[in-house]
Structures are given as C-alpha cells and as structure tokens.
Amino acid sequence: MVNPTDIAGLIVAPDVRYTTMLDEFIASCDWPVVARPAARTLIELVEAHRPQCVAFWLDCSTELSASRRLVSLLRDRGPRPLRIAIADTLPVETEHAFRSAGVHSYFSATSNMMALLDDAILPFLGPVRVWSPARVAALSRPSAARHGPLEEHGASLHPP
C-alpha cells in the first residue's frame, strides 16, 4: 500500500491569472495552488494529499457561488480539512455566505500576507508538517526514492 503525501495546505484560486496579493500569499505559505477545480478534482486532491487546510482565495474575479459549493462539499465530508476563506476587496455580506457554506475562518486579505499566515492561519493548524529540502529532493528522485518513505516509517515488507 502506498501512503498519500501529506501537505500542510492547499490553495483554491479563482483563476489561473494571479493577483499581487495572491502571489504574496502563495509565496508566504508555499502551498500547492489549484485554479478553479471541479468538485471531483478537489475531492481527489484532498484524499490524495490530506491537507490540514484548504484556503479559498476570493476576489472580485471569483465566481463566488462555485466557491461556496466547493466549501459546502468539503463541509459535508466532515470537519477536516480546515476550510478558510481569504477575501480580497469583497463586500462584508460575503463573509456570512461563506460561513453559512461551512468555512471555519474568514479573513480579509491584508498588505502583509506573511503576518496573516503566521498570526491567524498557522496557529489553527497545530504542528505544521515542514518539507525539508533534502526530503523534497529525495521524493523527486526517480525509482530509488520510492522505497524511502516506507523505510522512514519503520515499515518493512514480509511475505504473506
């Protein structure tokens, strides 16, 4: 059995074109970004990578109803992963709509995204899984690295 890769978070972005604020958030947390995922795609990513948090980036170019449906879908699957919404220049009524859909936290984007991440988001995640450069390099090596994660967890193969 192959264990899924755990990541601290996943960003759901409204579009493939990024804004300055979104770029800063991505640089601050270094989480993978998924632009406009279909419901099935998002569920597959959550099951494969088991993120602690899914951050929905919302801005004026976002189709908010599609994002609310994705939040509701994740809420219906259970309390995890943590669902947060980060709004960039949206009206205050948006918060109520997303809290009703099932976000755990709703934040307004600020000029200092690193502070938002460090002070408001990461404390909810508890001990965050950090990928060291050596671990990332080991996972990206072909074939030989495929056995690394099993050995690190103390698992061994035995005949039936």
Side-chain angles (χ1 to χ4, degrees):
M1 180 175 149
V2 177
N3 291 332
T5 304
D6 293 352
I7 57 175
L10 181 67
I11 301 169
V12 177
D15 207 343
V16 287
R17 89 196 139 110
Y18 299 138
T19 64
T20 305
M21 294 289 279
L22 177 56
D23 285 339
E24 188 179 335
F25 182 66
I26 293 167
S28 297
C29 63
D30 197 30
W31 295 347
V33 178
V34 184
R36 289 162 111 203
R40 182 177 182 157
T41 303
L42 182 60
I43 295 302
E44 287 173 354
L45 287 170
V46 167
E47 288 177 355
H49 297 289
R50 299 185 308 182
Q52 290 180 320
C53 176
V54 176
F56 290 87
W57 183 266
L58 311 171
D59 61 24
C60 55
S61 69
T62 306
E63 183 185 330
L64 297 177
S65 60
S67 297
R68 277 195 314 268
R69 282 192 298 272
L70 291 174
V71 170
S72 294
L73 179 66
L74 289 178
R75 178 199 61 208
D76 293 343
R77 294 180 54 79
R80 296 283 179 231
L82 179 69
R83 300 171 299 277
I84 64 168
I86 303 169
D88 184 17
T89 62
L90 290 176
V92 247
E93 304 84 49
T94 309
E95 179 175 1
H96 176 69
F98 275 86
R99 287 196 181 272
S100 298
V103 295
H104 292 100
S105 296
Y106 184 94
F107 301 103
S108 293
T110 66
S111 59
N112 188 347
M113 294 306 286
M114 184 61 99
L116 174 69
L117 186 68
D118 287 342
D119 298 338
I121 297 172
L122 292 181
F124 287 112
L125 300 182
V128 178
R129 294 171 277 229
V130 177
W131 290 87
S132 68
R135 173 88 168 131
V136 172
L139 290 175
S140 62
R141 272 187 245 125
S143 68
R146 302 217 189 262
H147 301 290
L150 289 176
E151 295 166 1
E152 285 179 14
H153 295 295
S156 60
L157 301 175
H158 299 284

